Amino acid sequence: MASAELQGKYQKLAQEYSKLRAQNQVLKKGVVDEQASSAALKEQLKMKDQSLRKLQQEMDSLTFRNLQLAKRVELLQDELALSEPRGKKNKKSGESSSQLSQEQKSVFDEDLQKKIEENERLHIQFFEADEHHKLVEAELRSRLATLETEAAQHQAVIDGLTRKYMETIEKLQNDKAKLEVKSQTLEKEAKECRLRTEECQLQLKNLHEDLSGRLEESLSIINEKVPFNDTKCNQYNALNVPLHNRRHQLKMRDLAGQALAFVQDLVPALLNFHTYTEQRIQIFPVDSAIDTISPLNQKFSQHLHENAAYVRPLEEGMLHLFESITEDTVTVLETTVKLKVFSDHLTSYVRFLRKILPYQLKSLEEECESSLCTPALRARNLELSQDMKRMTAVFEKLQTYITLLALPSTEPDGLLRTNYTSVLTNVGAALHGFHDVMKDISKHYSQKASIEHELPTATQKLVTTNDCILSSAVALTNGAGKIASFFSNNMDYFIASLSYGPKTASGFISPLSAECMLQYKKKAAAYMKSLRKPLAESVPYEEALANRRVLLSSTESREGLAQQVQQSLEKISKLEQEKEHWMLEAQLAKIKLEKENQRIADRLRSTSSAQLLGLAQENATVSIASGQEEAAAKALTEPVQSTSLIGILTRTPESEAPDIESREDLIKSHYMARIAELTSQLQLADSKSVHFYAECRALSKRLALAEKSKETLTEEMRLASQNVSRLQDELTTTKRSYEDQLSMMSDHLCSMNETLSKQRDEIDTLKMSSKGNAKKNRSR
């Protein structure tokens, strides 16, 4: 568990480290891009500064040149002003000089015009350069602001990463401390496990010696006592009776009962479907009560009339199969002989379906050719003809696979045991196909019935017949769905139950060997039943041993037994006296009863004429009876006292207790009280005995459980020793791996810190350079 937790933590840390490394690479790339952009901006700034300096130098030179030109113009104007009055004085001499001055003036005007144009052009260039400089400066300032914000964001990210790295470093240090503590505890546990493994090895050695001795003894007994081993040959082994699996038999009987119920639901639906189909042929498209139907439909009706002879045997065959599966048999494919009967009945029904299929298709074609058939009805009839073909094909497939399943009970080489599973899966697929076909039939027939009900010639008899056919188709659909789901749900159990049979063999070799095995099973069961005799109740062995120890340890056991014997003898004598007493009482009561009956009879016989004679006889009999009673009373003049288990009863003579009814009530109440007391004592004794018996059973079960737990503990000790050795190896390897990983992670963290510090320095330099550029731009 500790190694798993450490591996999980290490994986989490590795994932976080990979994420941080990817983020660091992204940040590095961003910083490099920003550095490249800042270098490009620096170069642009240098270029702009150079161009600006050139423009300023040109501007200075132009201004200087303009000043020179202005001074020269002033001089020329002054000279012109001086030359004008002189020209007036001597016009003659001035004409020649005027020609010279005009030529000079024209030269000066041209030079001045060139200088003016050049000055104008320079002013325009200076204005354009100034505007361009302002635009570049604004753009550079905006980019500087964005770069400052990005640098602040990168700084925040770097600060967060540093905090995260510090937290991870602290967490790793804490995990390292915990791992060291766990490693110490694991070392202690490993030492304890070593001691336990040594003890387990000693116990294992002793057990091995004991088991080897038992094995040698059992092998010698087998070699000496077992003359013939019949499990080596499959033919002989197939005759051995397998272990009786009552749960398996009950499960198979339950499944067979469910299948029988499904078949019993399916058979009436099939009967109704065929019967109502026959009734419909007599009604539509031609009513037999009004006109004669076609010969084809007559033949089809005759065949459908015989459906019960083919459908009802299916239920009978399934019933016989269900009755053959009992609790005492062994249910496998080799022993289910009645499955062949069901297969034969299903084959006959499939033949019936093949026989009626052409007639059914031709009957549907006749319906399509009749004048009452609409295009929609014709389409439904074509769909129903396809469905009927599919239904017959599905029943043929099902009959084929069930016939294959019935082969192992009749022909040993008809179906290989390896193909049982594929045959059962194909049976399930065929049942699902039957369900799908019946759904299509019910769907298409319902559509056909709704179309026929809308026809103007539809009679009430046709409507009711169509409803009956549709209800039978729905019942078939439901029954087929139940059977398909039942078979698919129990498919695994069917496949697993095929291996039920004799051990150390591939199964029953032939149906004859399976039948012989069942006969042997019955004989063995009868023999075991004859040997099973009711044993007399005895004291359990553990209780007998405990009682023996008590008897041997107690010194007063003999005296106690002698006293018990004497008390039992006294009780026996008292019971005998009480028996004699009650026998005398019974004789007296019998005599009295006879006398009373005789007296009543004599009274009834007496007549009015012989009344005196009857009275005399009665007096005589009374006197004789009184004499006998007096003699018996004399014999019992002394009171008899009985002290028995039922209590103390004292009898007094009749003279002292003349009231017979009161005496009987007294005796009755005494007996009832004594019986109640004895029953309570008996119930108490029974409850104690049941309690002691339950306690003894619980102790025996606990003993068995203790033995089983001892075996499991020995096995667990062996596994624990193996696990301890494996854990020791894993612990050493995990320690080394974790130490290496921690060292690698610490190196990585140091390198990351160095890279982060370098990035911080670069960002600081970028900030400083950007601030310096901004200041320069502002100053310019």
Side-chain angles (χ1 to χ4, degrees), residues 292-475:
T292 58
I293 61 176
S294 64
L296 177 70
N297 284 334
Q298 288 180 3
K299 194 71 175 175
F300 185 33
S301 177
Q302 290 176 4
H303 289 314
L304 285 174
H305 193 68
E306 300 171 356
N307 68 83
Y310 298 99
V311 177
R312 292 194 184 278
L314 294 175
E315 183 178 355
E316 295 176 1
M318 185 57 70
L319 181 61
H320 292 319
L321 178 62
F322 171 70
E323 290 175 352
S324 66
I325 299 172
T326 60
E327 186 181 345
D328 300 330
T329 58
V330 179
T331 304
V332 288
L333 289 178
E334 288 84 355
T335 57
T336 53
V337 183
K338 297 296 181 180
L339 185 61
K340 183 69 170 64
V341 179
F342 179 74
S343 174
D344 294 338
H345 293 324
L346 185 60
T347 304
S348 64
Y349 179 66
V350 170
R351 289 173 187 165
F352 170 72
L353 290 178
R354 289 174 187 164
K355 184 170 65 175
I356 66 173
L357 181 62
Y359 295 99
Q360 196 161 15
L361 298 177
K362 290 291 184 182
S363 177
L364 290 171
E365 288 178 1
E366 282 189 3
E367 286 186 13
C368 294
E369 291 173 358
S370 65
S371 60
L372 300 174
C373 187
T374 60
L377 188 60
R378 190 176 291 108
R380 299 290 86 76
N381 287 333
L382 292 175
E383 290 175 352
L384 277 175
S385 63
Q386 296 295 326
D387 293 338
M388 292 301 171
K389 290 179 183 178
R390 288 171 58 201
M391 178 180 172
T392 307
V394 165
F395 267 103
E396 288 176 354
K397 188 185 293 185
L398 189 62
Q399 178 261 336
T400 302
Y401 291 127
I402 291 177
T403 305
L404 287 173
L405 288 176
L407 282 177
S409 61
T410 55
E411 299 178 7
D413 299 329
L415 181 64
L416 295 176
R417 194 173 179 82
T418 55
N419 297 327
Y420 287 179
T421 305
S422 61
V423 172
L424 285 171
T425 53
N426 289 324
V427 169
L431 289 172
H432 283 288
F434 177 49
H435 181 225
D436 296 336
V437 168
M438 291 313 303
K439 282 197 294 186
D440 293 338
I441 288 173
S442 60
K443 176 185 175 182
H444 296 153
Y445 207 92
S446 65
Q447 295 173 358
K448 178 183 177 182
S450 62
I451 294 170
E452 288 179 351
H453 293 171
E454 294 175 357
L455 294 175
T457 58
T459 60
Q460 186 62 34
K461 190 186 292 185
L462 178 63
V463 172
T464 55
T465 304
N466 285 336
D467 291 339
C468 293
I469 293 174
L470 188 59
S471 63
S472 62
V474 171

Side-chain angles (χ1 to χ4, degrees), residues 45-103:
L45 284 172
K46 287 179 181 178
M47 295 293 290
K48 296 295 180 182
D49 289 337
Q50 290 176 2
S51 62
L52 186 61
R53 287 171 185 170
K54 286 180 182 179
L55 290 172
Q56 285 178 356
Q57 289 177 0
E58 289 178 357
M59 190 69 185
D60 293 336
S61 63
L62 287 171
T63 52
F64 179 74
R65 187 69 177 164
N66 286 330
L67 290 172
Q68 285 181 352
L69 290 171
K71 288 179 180 180
R72 190 172 183 182
V73 167
E74 287 178 355
L75 291 172
L76 290 172
Q77 287 177 358
D78 293 335
E79 288 178 356
L80 182 63
L82 291 173
S83 63
E84 281 179 357
R86 288 178 183 176
K88 288 179 180 181
K89 289 178 180 181
N90 45 0
K91 291 180 181 178
K92 293 180 179 180
S93 62
E95 288 177 358
S96 60
S97 63
S98 63
Q99 291 177 356
L100 294 171
S101 64
Q102 285 178 357
E103 290 177 358

